[in-house]
Amino acid sequence: MAWCCRRWRRVLICLCMPCCCLVFMYIFLAVLITMSMTSVTITQSFNEPTTSHFAAPGASGNDSVAPVPKTFWEQHLPDDAVWNKLQRSTDNHFNSILYPSKAKKVSERISFNDTLLKQTFSNIMSLERVKKNLEKLPREIKRFITNMQKRDYPVLIRPRRVCGAQAKHETQPPLILLAIKSRELNFKNRKAIRETWGQEGWVQGQKINSSDKQLVGGYVRRVFLLGKESSADLGVDITDVLRKENLRFGDILQWDFKDTFFNLTLKDVLFWNWFSSHCGQTHFILKGDDDVFVNTPKLITYLHNQLNKPQVSGTLENFMIGDVILAAQPNRDKRSKYFIPPSFYKGVYPVYAGGGGVVYSGLLARRLLNISQTVHLFPIDDVYVGMCMVLLNSHPLHHPAFLTFDISEKEEDEPCSYHSILLVHKRTPEQLVALWTDMEKTREQCKDAPLRDT
């Protein structure tokens, strides 16, 4: 009987073993297929963005990451959008999912350096398809790209004092530094500014409206920002003339880079660096062109009002005011100096303040310097500042008293029209002097003229 049981057991084992092996093999294959499909899904989730814009750190909704908004440059772009490819390559290093240790609180980190910009520039520019597309770009854009990763230019001329032209015995921290973009041959512009709205030292404020009871004032400093123009282009070497001008007025800051329209962005970045090292206590900066007219007395009063607001320290970290431009598109007209071809940049511009004249805090200038180390240079300076502001999660405030697109003809003839503004663009040196003289004559008559309302 026992012998019979053992015989049947051997038969059952011989019959069942192949079936069990087949079952186990099917289970194993099913697990492999499931894991493979999951891997593909995960890979796609990293490589294929779920939105049409690249999500900058903080957009993921994770409370541990700083609240930085989505970038304005699009993710799905043609291969020939050179700037977008460069910036996207840089942005990817701050993706809060791929690089959590780097991305955490990006906008609040103490310091960056430009190593990452140089690395991504080298990587993207070495691609063959990018090299081919570069040949199709306009000459000025190609020149810009050649040097866009360079930011370390030596200073040729420095202001006589630490932070520009200033009063000899300042008894208070300076309220504002007038940082004016100029060019070597614009002697008349600089002279007119020094004689009118750009005088350094103590400046008395003026009432903004009839409710202002106490007149205030503040110390003003001044510096002109210049690049270098070649003697061949100018037909003369004016280096010695500029040095003598600086010896007399002490307000020239010149770097050794070619002073072109597309290099105005360099002036911003280099100025932020210089300001952060030399102008520790300065509250505000007016950055403008040398063809703007500024109502300095009313600007002094306006800025004092900002300092007197509650929780001012938090406000000043993001303070920028001017003529704000929304949803601007790149200029595609080849005849325009603002021309940006689609092969270089694709997408809309961020919100930005017109570069003719804008006011921002010294605290913000230092933050802009820091975040600019993560943003590739862009040929249009005010747009570039807007790009940096986006990554700081800050937005410029619009004020109708900043007229970067001029004043209407009707208002031009009104006696107190210039007493109601803070800044107007596009004035010749002769017009600056005439406007200032007229404002001095009508100051008493227009003392109650209100500032243009926000």
Side-chain angles (χ1 to χ4, degrees):
M1 184 68 181
W3 177 84
C4 184
C5 289
R6 287 197 297 270
R7 181 179 178 185
W8 280 107
R9 187 171 59 186
R10 286 197 296 268
V11 172
L12 288 173
I13 291 173
C14 292
L15 291 174
C16 293
M17 184 61 70
C19 294
C20 292
C21 290
L22 283 174
V23 170
F24 283 121
M25 184 175 68
Y26 284 132
I27 292 173
F28 179 72
L29 289 174
V31 170
L32 282 180
I33 293 171
T34 303
M35 290 178 63
S36 177
M37 292 175 65
T38 304
S39 174
V40 170
T41 303
I42 292 174
T43 303
Q44 288 177 342
S45 69
F46 275 89
N47 292 338
E48 298 179 10
T50 57
T51 62
S52 62
H53 295 77
F54 172 75
S60 64
N62 187 344
D63 293 336
S64 67
V65 183
V68 182
K70 293 180 181 179
T71 51
F72 46 88
W73 39 84
E74 296 177 6
Q75 174 74 1
H76 299 293
L77 298 167
D79 290 341
D80 57 357
V82 177
W83 189 92
N84 301 74
K85 290 179 71 67
L86 286 169
Q87 190 58 42
R88 188 165 64 250
S89 177
T90 303
D91 286 344
N92 282 337
H93 284 266
F94 298 109
N95 185 294
S96 56
I97 298 175
L98 298 179
Y99 304 95
S101 60
K102 293 183 180 180
K104 188 176 182 180
K105 295 187 177 180
V106 167
S107 67
E108 298 175 5
R109 282 175 56 178
I110 296 174
S111 63
F112 294 100
N113 59 55
D114 60 359
T115 303
L116 180 59
L117 292 181
K118 291 179 179 179
Q119 176 188 333
T120 53
F121 183 88
S122 177
N123 292 342
I124 295 299
M125 289 303 165
S126 63
L127 300 175
E128 285 300 321
R129 62 180 182 275
V130 174
K131 290 179 180 179
K132 292 180 180 179
N133 288 330
L134 288 179
E135 296 302 318
K136 304 174 185 177
L137 292 169
R139 181 178 58 181
E140 292 302 319
I141 291 286
K142 283 195 287 188
R143 286 180 180 174
F144 175 82
I145 293 174
T146 301
N147 298 298
M148 69 182 290
Q149 81 281 17
K150 184 178 179 182
R151 303 186 183 200
D152 52 342
Y153 292 90
V155 176
L156 299 176
I157 301 177
R158 303 176 188 273
R160 185 168 61 242
R161 293 184 177 270
V162 176
C163 182
Q166 56 190 270
K168 291 183 179 179
H169 305 289
E170 292 181 352
T171 58
Q172 299 174 12
L175 181 66
I176 187 168
L177 170 66
L178 309 175
I180 306 146
K181 294 181 179 180
S182 188
R183 301 192 69 168
E184 288 185 336
L185 290 181
N186 290 7
F187 296 107
K188 289 184 177 180
N189 300 64
R190 295 191 289 274
K191 181 176 183 294
I193 290 172
R194 293 184 186 114
E195 294 174 354
T196 58
W197 61 265
Q199 299 175 40
E200 80 278 10
W202 179 264
V203 174
Q204 186 68 51
Q206 184 182 355
K207 289 184 177 181
I208 288 180
N209 53 56
S210 56
S211 64
D212 291 332
K213 297 178 180 179
Q214 183 180 2
L215 288 178
V216 294
Y219 282 104
V220 176
R221 295 181 178 180
R222 181 188 64 239
V223 65
F224 290 99
L225 312 175
L226 283 74
K228 179 70 177 173
E229 298 181 71
S230 68
S231 302
D233 293 338
L234 294 179
V236 62
D237 187 353
I238 62 171
T239 302
D240 290 339
V241 178
L242 275 178
R243 292 187 182 278
K244 290 178 180 178
E245 182 183 355
N246 188 54
L247 189 63
R248 180 178 178 185
F249 299 105
D251 57 4
I252 301 291
L253 177 57
Q254 184 185 35
W255 294 276
D256 191 15
F257 66 84
K258 190 169 184 179
D259 206 340
T260 64
F261 176 70
F262 281 174
N263 277 346
L264 288 176
T265 306
L266 263 180
K267 288 187 181 180
D268 277 302
V269 174
L270 294 174
F271 166 72
W272 294 334
N273 186 48
W274 174 84
F275 177 88
S276 298
S277 301
H278 296 84
C279 305
Q281 294 184 305
T282 306
H283 290 297
F284 297 99
I285 299 160
L286 182 144
K287 188 208 73 177
D289 296 339
D290 62 5
D291 59 351
V292 299
F293 177 83
V294 180
N295 187 346
T296 316
K298 283 209 169 177
L299 181 59
I300 293 291
T301 303
Y302 177 83
L303 295 178
H304 267 287
N305 290 345
Q306 302 306 307
L307 290 176
N308 291 330
K309 288 184 175 181
Q311 299 179 333
V312 63
S313 58
T315 304
L316 288 184
E317 284 190 353
N318 300 291
F319 181 81
M320 177 181 287
I321 191 163
D323 185 6
V324 174
I325 300 167
L326 303 172
Q329 299 283 344
N331 191 312
R332 304 305 192 193
D333 184 356
K334 294 181 179 180
R335 299 166 296 180
S336 171
K337 70 175 182 178
Y338 299 98
F339 171 61
I340 298 294
S343 54
F344 179 77
Y345 177 82
K346 197 79 175 286
V348 298
Y349 284 157
V351 174
Y352 66 93
V358 62
V359 175
Y360 52 87
S361 68
L363 289 174
L364 180 58
R366 293 174 180 86
R367 297 182 68 215
L368 287 169
L369 170 65
N370 185 31
I371 204 67
S372 70
Q373 302 301 316
T374 69
V375 185
H376 285 277
L377 295 180
F378 193 79
I380 312 298
D381 57 332
D382 44 13
V383 171
Y384 180 77
V385 176
M387 292 174 171
C388 293
M389 290 286 284
V390 166
L391 294 184
L392 289 176
N393 199 23
S394 298
H395 309 282
L397 303 174
H398 179 74
H399 199 298
F402 284 79
L403 304 177
T404 56
F405 294 100
D406 214 338
I407 195 170
S408 68
E409 292 183 9
K410 179 182 178 181
E411 291 174 301
E412 186 84 42
D413 297 330
E414 295 176 1
C416 297
S417 59
Y418 283 92
H419 289 270
S420 66
I421 67 170
L422 292 175
L423 179 145
V424 65
H425 198 194
K426 295 294 182 185
R427 293 295 183 270
T428 66
E430 294 76 19
Q431 288 173 325
L432 289 186
V433 174
L435 279 172
W436 188 256
T437 302
D438 183 68
M439 285 189 67
E440 290 291 313
K441 290 179 180 178
T442 58
R443 193 169 301 279
E444 183 63 26
Q445 173 189 350
C446 302
K447 64 180 180 180
D448 293 326
L451 198 63
R452 287 188 176 214
D453 192 7
T454 55

